[in-house]
């Protein structure tokens, strides 16, 4: 944190209590000039006694006091972390939207972590495929039903100091714990004292930056009751963690639109209808709308972010019009209209394609050319290569989320996502 950050927070707390600088000076026994310099960011890092006097003068509750002290550059002490953890201050994020589908993935992850079949699981997948929401559901269940303490560390907290729906105190404590994963000289004993012997789940959400494997292994060795769940876009170098790929939602098979009851049970259709019903009059599945809705879900590969975007645009377009626009160029729809998200739903796809190495990119181009549903044997024959050479490459594309597994009755087949053609690959 910078001095400016501290000054901004100090001024916010002072004005929210209705105090002038002079009144705070009288209550804290500091000078008006000292308070003014601190609020303007002109003073050097305030001493702990100064911060304590200001907090006393402002009569801050403990969570705000800790935040002020951390912003001033002081680490939360191990005793404070331990007290907050024991008191349940660190809890899972609040879930603000329902998860559609993912029942099998959800139950598998809960069983893996609860029964300690794997103590470190990494969920990988495209940006926007729903990794964070799945992790939130898993964490909430581990906390409520199995009494695990949850330490939720998001890699990109929002500007006001909260993290994925957590309160400010929990965010500060989580941020403090996050330092031990990236600073080699940080005392891991702090985490051991904080978590103690309790069953605990450490969630590293969106941690695409590299965390040394040795740090997590040290944590697991220090804390026998700790489980680790990581979500990230790309799998790193092979490690001891269990890699759990999260693909798109299921999409309608060809011909499903003829059976409205069957179509209504497809996860991507359920999610699309959920969003269309949130922005306007209910869009019902009828013989007239079913073909366009089914085609939209197939065109968008069942990717939750893309379905959300199209659902928002359904206020001004019919399903048939949306399908035509997606067919022409999905980018013409832009971002989600009239929302604060301001993100491009294809960003995750673009990033995944841009991260490909030359050999992976050539393979993906060949797979686009191959088209349809294919097996590893088909790819080997198409490229004139051995199956053993092709298999690792296909697996890497699967883990990146650019191809999806298609179950058949006799063999495992794959297909390239439709949206790959809308990326910079072309």
């Amino acid at each position: 944190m910078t001095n400016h950050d501290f000054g901004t927070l100090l001024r916010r707390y002072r004005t929210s209590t209705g105090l002038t600088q002079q009144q705070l000076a009288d209550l804290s026994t500091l000078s008006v000039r000292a308070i003014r310099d601190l609020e303007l960011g002109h003073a050097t890092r305030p001493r702990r006694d100064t911060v304590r006097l200001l907090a006393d003068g402002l009569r801050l509750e403990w969570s705000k006091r800790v935040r002020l002290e951390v912003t001033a550059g002081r680490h939360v002490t191990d005793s404070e972390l331990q007290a907050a953890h024991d008191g349940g201050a660190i809890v899972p994020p609040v879930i603000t939207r329902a998860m559609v589908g993912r029942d099998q993935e959800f139950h598998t992850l809960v069983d893996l972590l609860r029964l300690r079949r794997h103590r470190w699981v990494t969920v990988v997948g495209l940006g926007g495929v729903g990794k964070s929401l799945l992790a939130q559901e898993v964490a909430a269940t581990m906390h409520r039903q199995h009494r695990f303490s949850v330490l939720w560390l998001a890699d990109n907290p929002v500007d006001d100091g909260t993290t994925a729906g957590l309160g400010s105190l929990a965010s500060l404590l989580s941020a403090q714990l996050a330092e031990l994963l990236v600073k080699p000289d940080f005392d891991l004993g702090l985490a051991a004292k904080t978590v103690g012997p309790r069953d605990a789940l450490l969630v590293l959400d969106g941690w695409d930056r590299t965390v040394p494997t040795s740090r997590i292994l040290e944590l697991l060795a220090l804390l026998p009751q700790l489980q680790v769940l990581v979500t990230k876009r790309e799998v790193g170098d092979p490690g001891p963690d269990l890699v759990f790929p999260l693909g798109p939602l299921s999409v309608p098979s060809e011909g499903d639109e003829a059976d409205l009851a069957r179509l209504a049970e497809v996860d991507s259709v359920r999610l699309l209808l959920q969003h269309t019903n949130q922005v306007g009059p209910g869009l019902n599945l009828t013989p007239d709308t079913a073909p366009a809705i089914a085609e939209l879900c197939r065109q968008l590969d069942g990717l939750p972010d893309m379905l959300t975007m199209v659902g928002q645009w359904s206020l001004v377009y019919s399903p048939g019009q949306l399908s035509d626009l997606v067919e022409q160029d999905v980018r013409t729809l832009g971002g989600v209209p009239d929302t604060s998200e301001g993100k491009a739903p294809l960003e995750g796809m673009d990033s995944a394609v841009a991260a490909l190495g030359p050999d992976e990119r050539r393979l993906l181009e060949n797979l686009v050319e191959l088209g349809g549903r294919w097996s590893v044997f088909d790819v080997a024959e198409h490229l004139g290569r051995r199956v053993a050479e092709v298999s690792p490459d296909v697996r890497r594309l699967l883990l990146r989320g650019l191809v999806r597994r298609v179950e058949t009755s006799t063999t495992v087949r794959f297909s390239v996502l439709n949206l790959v053609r809308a990326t910079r690959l072309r």
Side-chain angles (χ1 to χ4, degrees):
M1 295 288 182
T2 65
N3 291 330
H4 179 71
D5 294 327
F6 176 81
T8 300
L9 186 61
L10 174 61
R11 184 168 59 253
R12 184 190 307 170
Y13 286 163
R14 177 180 60 79
T15 55
S16 67
T17 58
L19 295 176
T20 65
Q21 290 181 341
Q22 180 63 63
Q23 289 170 327
L24 178 57
D26 294 339
L27 291 170
S28 64
T29 70
L30 298 173
S31 68
V32 175
R33 179 177 179 178
I35 293 173
R36 182 176 64 248
D37 287 346
L38 286 169
E39 290 188 354
L40 292 174
H42 294 163
T44 57
R45 178 176 293 183
R47 295 183 303 171
R48 180 170 185 174
D49 287 345
T50 299
V51 178
R52 178 180 57 79
L53 290 171
L54 288 168
D56 289 343
L58 291 166
R59 294 181 173 82
L60 295 180
E61 61 186 29
W62 189 69
S63 62
K64 290 183 177 180
R65 178 185 294 267
V66 172
R67 184 175 184 183
L68 191 67
E69 291 179 343
V70 172
T71 307
R74 184 182 73 81
H75 292 303
V76 182
T77 66
D78 55 357
S79 60
E80 289 169 332
L81 281 169
Q82 178 69 67
H85 185 258
D86 288 344
I90 306 181
V91 296
V94 175
I95 299 175
T96 58
R97 55 195 173 100
M99 183 173 66
V100 174
R102 306 295 191 201
D103 290 345
Q104 181 176 347
E105 295 96 330
F106 167 77
H107 290 297
T108 298
L109 282 173
V110 169
D111 284 345
L112 284 171
L113 296 167
R114 179 177 63 88
L115 301 177
R116 291 180 172 79
R117 293 188 175 122
H118 287 275
R119 295 186 62 199
W120 176 7
V121 181
T122 298
V123 179
V124 296
L126 281 172
V129 80
K131 301 182 296 295
S132 294
L133 183 57
L134 176 60
Q136 287 176 13
E137 292 280 0
V138 170
T141 296
M142 295 287 284
H143 181 68
R144 289 195 309 263
Q145 297 184 16
H146 306 296
R147 301 188 178 282
F148 272 65
S149 172
V150 174
L151 310 175
W152 183 281
L153 310 185
D155 197 30
N156 293 302
V158 296
D159 293 339
D160 66 355
T162 60
T163 302
L166 297 176
S168 59
L169 172 59
S171 298
L172 289 172
L173 299 175
S174 296
Q176 178 74 12
L177 290 173
E179 291 189 44
L180 64 88
L181 295 172
V182 295
K183 291 188 176 181
D185 57 346
F186 200 95
D187 182 13
L188 283 174
L190 174 62
K193 292 177 183 178
T194 300
V195 179
R198 294 184 60 180
D199 287 335
L201 175 66
L202 171 63
V203 182
L204 306 179
D205 182 40
W207 277 64
D208 288 299
R209 55 175 161 166
T210 300
V211 177
T213 297
S214 60
R215 299 297 280 175
I216 295 182
L217 289 177
E218 286 179 87
L219 268 179
L220 292 173
L222 275 172
L223 302 166
Q225 299 303 105
L226 180 69
Q227 306 291 104
V228 177
L229 177 62
V230 181
T231 72
K232 59 194 307 184
R233 294 189 179 191
E234 296 184 28
V235 63
D237 296 329
D241 55 327
L242 172 68
V243 176
F244 189 96
L246 187 65
L249 296 173
S250 61
V251 298
S253 300
E254 294 294 336
D256 277 357
E257 50 268 41
D259 185 340
L260 298 186
R262 180 184 180 91
L263 185 62
E265 294 300 315
V266 177
D267 289 339
S268 57
V269 174
R270 291 170 55 207
L271 182 60
L272 178 59
L273 292 177
Q274 179 186 94
H275 286 294
T276 58
N277 290 332
Q278 288 173 354
V279 299
L283 177 65
N284 297 317
L285 278 178
T286 67
D288 292 332
T289 62
I293 290 174
E295 183 60 20
L296 267 174
C297 292
R298 288 190 286 260
Q299 289 171 315
L300 299 174
D301 297 301
L303 283 170
D305 262 15
M306 298 301 298
L307 295 167
T308 299
M309 178 195 71
V310 167
Q312 295 292 315
W313 277 117
S314 66
L315 186 62
V316 293
Y317 295 112
S318 70
Q321 290 172 321
L322 283 169
S323 181
D324 290 342
L325 287 171
V326 171
E327 179 66 28
Q328 295 166 15
D329 186 354
V330 66
R331 293 180 187 276
T332 60
L333 292 174
V336 179
D338 301 325
T339 73
S340 59
E341 295 180 10
K343 63 180 180 180
L346 280 174
E347 180 186 351
M349 186 77 68
D350 289 338
S351 299
V353 171
L356 293 175
D359 293 341
E360 292 174 320
R361 190 180 186 90
R362 280 193 294 271
L363 174 60
L364 187 58
E365 289 170 345
N366 276 285
L367 295 178
V368 170
E369 178 184 320
L370 184 61
R373 297 179 176 183
W374 39 265
S375 69
V376 174
F377 302 99
D378 296 328
V379 177
E381 181 180 354
H382 180 71
L383 298 178
R385 297 170 58 189
R386 294 187 297 114
V387 170
E389 294 176 328
V390 171
S391 299
D393 297 335
V394 172
R395 180 178 182 273
R396 281 194 291 271
L397 290 179
L398 180 66
L399 292 178
R400 290 184 183 275
L402 297 172
V403 302
R404 72 186 302 156
R405 178 177 165 130
V406 182
E407 298 287 348
T408 68
S409 58
T410 57
T411 186
V412 174
R413 293 186 176 273
F414 304 89
S415 64
V416 178
L417 297 192
N418 294 322
L419 290 171
V420 168
R421 293 188 292 272
T423 67
R424 298 186 182 94
L425 184 69
R426 54 186 184 182

